[in-house]
Amino acid sequence: SSGINAEYGGHSRNLAEFQTAEVDFSIHTLPIFARFTEVCKQLIEKGGRNFKLLQGLSSETSGGLLVCLSAEAADKFVEEMRSEGGTAWIVGDVVPGNKTSRIADNPEIIEVSY
């Protein structure tokens, strides 16, 4: 396995579809509200609904704003956001592809306080 799941990610997939270049978004990091990963795992283990949190399809990801920037601009953006007291993360890479989004099999999870 390549370590990347095929075609997942709500916001990232939507953004990838509107790119003029033939690219994919390869997501390696998911900022998620603190403790939601464990809650979702317990729900699944107990036969509850799978909200597909780790596939980037659940609203409990801490997202809402996904920005696509060059690597240099992204580093500067994150630095500026943090210097102003905000939060920002680099969550993936733009790679040649078919205008979709792929999430790593085991993405890094960043638990975000809310």
Side-chain angles (χ1 to χ4, degrees):
S1 168
S2 66
I4 302 293
N5 288 320
E7 301 186 27
Y8 282 108
H11 284 119
S12 59
R13 183 179 53 219
N14 290 340
L15 187 57
E17 288 175 359
F18 285 96
Q19 298 305 301
T20 56
E22 296 293 321
V23 296
D24 285 354
F25 294 159
S26 178
I27 307 299
H28 53 67
T29 303
L30 291 174
I32 296 175
F33 288 132
R35 298 183 294 280
F36 272 74
T37 303
E38 187 58 34
V39 168
C40 286
K41 285 179 184 177
Q42 287 181 18
L43 282 172
I44 293 167
E45 288 172 7
K46 295 179 181 183
R49 184 170 177 207
N50 181 354
F51 289 95
K52 298 187 178 184
L53 180 70
L54 298 181
Q55 290 82 26
L57 296 173
S58 175
S59 60
E60 285 73 36
T61 57
S62 71
L65 178 61
L66 180 63
V67 180
C68 184
L69 302 167
S70 69
E72 285 180 6
D75 287 336
K76 187 173 181 178
F77 178 81
V78 168
E79 183 180 308
E80 287 179 17
M81 286 292 294
R82 291 179 178 169
S83 72
E84 296 289 328
T87 55
W89 302 273
I90 295 177
V91 298
D93 300 294
V94 177
V95 297
N98 300 309
K99 297 187 176 188
T100 192
S101 175
R102 301 177 186 284
I103 297 182
D105 287 337
N106 294 301
E108 176 185 354
I109 302 299
I110 298 173
E111 289 204 345
V112 179
S113 298
Y114 49 92

